[in-house]
Amino acid sequence: HETVELQLAGRADHYDDFGNAFSPKFGLRWQPTQSLLARASFSRGFRAPALPEIAPGQTVSYGSVVDPRDPFNPGGSRGITSVRTGNPDLAPERSRNFNVGLIWSPSADTTIGADWFRIEQDNLINPDSAQFIVNNEDLFPGRVLRDAQGQIQIITNQYANQGEREVSGIDIELSHRIRTS
């Protein structure tokens, strides 16, 4: 017997520093026969920046970069101190999720399924790359601190909304139960 199900859901969030966000979800499940099931869904997601990403406090880490302007070893690797600070101007991350799938059960013991998915994320929050800052020092005035001889000592880093990411793929599942006595 044919069945159709519609799912509507939502999540409402309130953040003192970012206001309100609503994340809806729509789902559809259609079973035209006992052995075939089709499903699809769409949802939106929201992630407010975490406290370390927006707070004015600092964290210190150590690493290395290749410095094309090093006065003694141009293009050589140089150990650096990285000071990372929060960014109170960050926008929240948002996402859109799409899923479409089929499940076929040719027998009571066998199931074959295939699902296509796509996840789109906007305003990804990540720190700037220390190497990118060094390679483009003119774009980041005051963020690369050098000693009197011109060698890098400290790179000031900050969280930023770094752009978008899209991920898509197909999940395939085969399940077969072998009955034993």
Side-chain angles (χ1 to χ4, degrees):
H1 59 128
E2 182 177 348
T3 62
V4 175
E5 293 179 19
L6 179 63
Q7 179 188 36
L8 301 173
R11 177 180 167 159
D13 293 301
H14 173 74
Y15 296 88
D16 291 339
D17 46 0
F18 286 97
N20 300 316
F22 180 71
S23 302
K25 179 181 179 185
F26 305 97
L28 180 64
R29 183 182 188 274
W30 175 48
Q31 190 164 2
T33 68
Q34 187 172 349
S35 64
L36 185 63
L37 169 68
R39 59 187 176 194
S41 67
F42 168 78
S43 61
R44 292 188 58 99
F46 173 87
R47 183 181 86 81
L51 186 59
E53 295 168 339
I54 59 173
Q58 297 179 337
T59 59
V60 176
S61 62
Y62 304 94
S64 62
V65 294
V66 173
D67 184 7
R69 297 182 184 177
D70 189 289
F72 303 108
N73 186 15
S77 182
R78 172 85 179 142
I80 54 103
T81 300
S82 181
V83 177
R84 184 176 301 158
T85 61
N87 180 352
D89 297 325
L90 287 175
E93 292 182 357
R94 298 198 180 263
S95 67
R96 289 167 303 286
N97 307 293
F98 306 91
N99 297 283
V100 176
L102 287 173
I103 298 176
W104 178 48
S105 299
S107 71
D109 296 325
T110 303
T111 302
I112 301 168
D115 289 285
W116 171 84
F117 66 90
R118 180 181 178 107
I119 302 168
E120 300 171 352
Q121 296 173 291
D122 298 326
N123 291 325
L124 292 169
I125 299 170
N126 283 304
D128 295 325
S129 158
Q131 187 63 59
F132 185 78
I133 292 170
V134 169
N135 290 349
N136 299 281
E137 196 171 339
D138 295 338
L139 298 176
F140 299 97
R143 303 252 318 255
V144 177
L145 303 175
R146 297 178 178 272
D147 63 16
Q149 296 175 320
Q151 289 187 305
I152 295 176
Q153 297 297 303
I154 298 173
I155 295 176
T156 304
N157 203 334
Q158 189 175 45
Y159 287 97
N161 291 107
Q162 300 284 3
E164 303 173 348
R165 175 174 39 213
E166 293 181 4
V167 177
S168 62
I170 297 175
D171 289 325
I172 297 175
E173 178 183 352
L174 170 62
S175 172
H176 182 73
R177 180 175 38 191
I178 299 173
R179 298 174 187 258
T180 60
S181 48

